[in-house]
Amino acid sequence: MTNMIQTTGLVKRYGEVVALDHLDLEVPKGSVLGLLGPNGAGKTTAVRILTTLLVPDEGSAEVAGLDIRKEPDKVRERIGLSGQNAAVDEYLTGYENLDMVGRLYHAGKKKSQARARELLERFDLLEAGDRPAKTYSGGMRRRLDLAAALVAEPDVLFLDEPTTGLDPRSRSQMWETIQELVRGGSTVLLTTQYMEEAERLANDIVVIDRGRMIAHGTSDELKVEIGGERIELILANSADIPAGRSILAELSGGDVQVDEHTRNLTAGVTGGAEALRQVLQRLAEKDVAVADIGLRRPTLDDVFLTLTGHGAEEATETSEDDKEGSGSGRDEIREKEAVR
Amino acid sequence: MTRLALAFADGAVVAKRNLIKIRRVPELLIWTTMSPIMFVLLFGYVFGSSIDIAGTNYREFFIAGVFAQTVIFGASGTGVGMAEDMTKGIIDRFRSLPMARSAVLVGRTGSDILYNSISILVMSLTGLLVGWRIRTSALEAIGGFLLLLLFAYAISWVMAYVGLKVPSVEVVQNASFMFIFPMTFVANTFVDSSQLPGPLRTVAEWNPVSAVAQAAREAFGNTGDLPEPEVWSLDHPFLYSLMWIAIILAVFIPLSVRQYNKATTK
Ligand SMILES: Nc1ncnc2c1ncn2[C@@H]1O[C@H](COP(=O)(O)OP(=O)(O)OP(=O)(O)O)[C@@H](O)[C@H]1O
Ligand SMILES: [Mg+2]
């Protein structure tokens, strides 16, 4: 299968900051690549380079088989972009914005007007369509920007955090729209901070940090990479914690993480359901009362936190102490799971 | 489509967008028309009552100068508009579309012609009130108006370049004032340049603004009994103005387009 996006050794520096550090990407036709990474990792920089808004310092890239340096004009005919900040004209109405974009893709008057109406409808903006975009809410502006990216039904779509700021309904509508486009043969590169979004849409996930690729694979592959399944046990009584801990330790042969407060015990295991059955049996033998127990696989959140090793906010000034950050981040996740 | 046709077609789309903004914010237009009225009244009554240029009626003489000065101020709006555009997200949208690289500039300078046409119209009407008259044929007068607009269009490209070079609205405004005041005052706009002392006279006589004002004055028949200017530039003001317009456009169109591409890919 041909790659619709291919980059080799992309480098972009801003003074001392290396925003992209020899980034290689490959996105086959008709697939979705999820680009993940903490704030400042270089996601937007990569998108801007691939959409010809920015010229890389080193390396090369092809989009739809066209060199972004040599034929930027031709690349622009084939792509749609929805950047991190909505790129709409606030004095124009939603309709006028979309019509203008259609004209600039040289679609012709009739076609671009029809397309503008169609997209307003698809993005639930028909009612607001004749109001200046200035009066739109943040989410409406975002949707208008996404609509603008789709005006020309582009072969390659770049979406930089497309659903940030959208309400749950708009978000799932957006996901459906993207999936529909991909079924129609479009290729998508999207960045996101929502693991659920990456999981649902992306065939392939690339995690970058400080401009470098640090992991690559499907979400399942990435989860396997950071370790297998976990048993999560919530005890009814705090008094049973030592007993529960020793049972889990015995069967997992590894560390047991304990949260005294929530009486939540977690341990990585191999053997899946069989391991779970054994734990339950031992717990029954020792008369330990169980509030809840389950087998769970690592989430993409676990993957993200393990790989990037620091919380999102500290991304820019990370140093050695970021192991602590990752520790607390994972505890939070565990607590969340426990509450469920 | 050829590149030129594309630049015009895309430029027209951008110009339409700029004009829609005027419709949404009509205050913009009100202020554009207020200052020309003020200029005509100020010069008409303040200077008109105190300055006397032998052989002419000052109220007829100065109006071509006010026209020239005001359209240059109007053209500085192009710089402000560009600087403002550059800070907006919409520029990213434009840059990711397969439109002509020059379209944003062609559109901006193009839509600013309308601003200047309106201010010339308003000034003409106010001028008629303070005693200005066209003493030639309609055709000649139209030639005068077109020359003023064409000159303003050329200056628009200079201002667009400035607006791209210093993308902050306030800086553009101050910078263009620094350049417009000497340019429009060391000229025959409001005084008879042949009466200026030494080097100032030379500068004024070869200043393209003088030629534009002189050409307009002749086109409107406002030169009265003034003697024919001796210096070549003012003796052939139309030709000399057109030469300047051609040079400015030839230099600043490519320069601005290049600067636009540079400023947006950093
Ligand atoms: N114009 C610029 N000048 C200087 N530094 C810049 C510029 N643009 C980006 N950077 C730096 O490059 C790095 C990568 O930025 P980028 O916007 O690509 O991150 P990101 O992954 O999109 O982050 P986020 O999740 O916050 O959107 C950051 O350290 C940022 O500070
Ligand atoms: Mg970003």
Side-chain angles (χ1 to χ4, degrees), chain A residues 86-98 100 120 125 128-145 148, chain B residues 20 24 90:
Chain A
V88 300
D89 191 297
E90 51 185 353
Y91 293 105
L92 302 195
T93 65
Y95 173 75
E96 286 163 346
N97 263 292
L98 295 178
M100 175 178 75
L120 285 175
L125 290 169
D130 291 323
R131 249 171 38 203
K134 211 175 160 63
T135 65
Y136 285 17
S137 74
M140 289 162 78
R141 232 175 263 210
R142 182 85 245 180
R143 294 201 312 262
L144 180 60
D145 192 58
Chain B
I20 289 175
R24 301 276 141 79
I90 189 73

Side-chain angles (χ1 to χ4, degrees), chain A residues 14 17 19 37-45 84 161 193 316:
Chain A
Y14 290 107
V17 179
N39 291 147
K43 303 180 295 295
T44 298
T45 305
Q84 191 163 0
E161 304 200 14
Q193 298 291 358
T316 38

Side-chain angles (χ1 to χ4, degrees), chain A residues 1 8 20 50 86 93 111 117 138 156 172 178-179 250 303:
Chain A
M1 212 187 294
T8 329
L20 283 187
L50 291 172
T93 65
K111 228 174 123 190
R117 286 279 164 227
V156 189
S172 67
I178 294 173
Q179 281 169 329
E250 214 173 286
V303 171

Side-chain angles (χ1 to χ4, degrees), chain B residues 148-171:
Chain B
L148 283 163
L149 284 177
L150 202 59
F151 185 67
Y153 183 72
I155 299 293
S156 266
W157 279 93
V158 180
M159 297 298 179
Y161 179 71
V162 176
L164 290 168
K165 201 83 187 174
V166 268
S168 144
V169 174
E170 292 80 8
V171 178

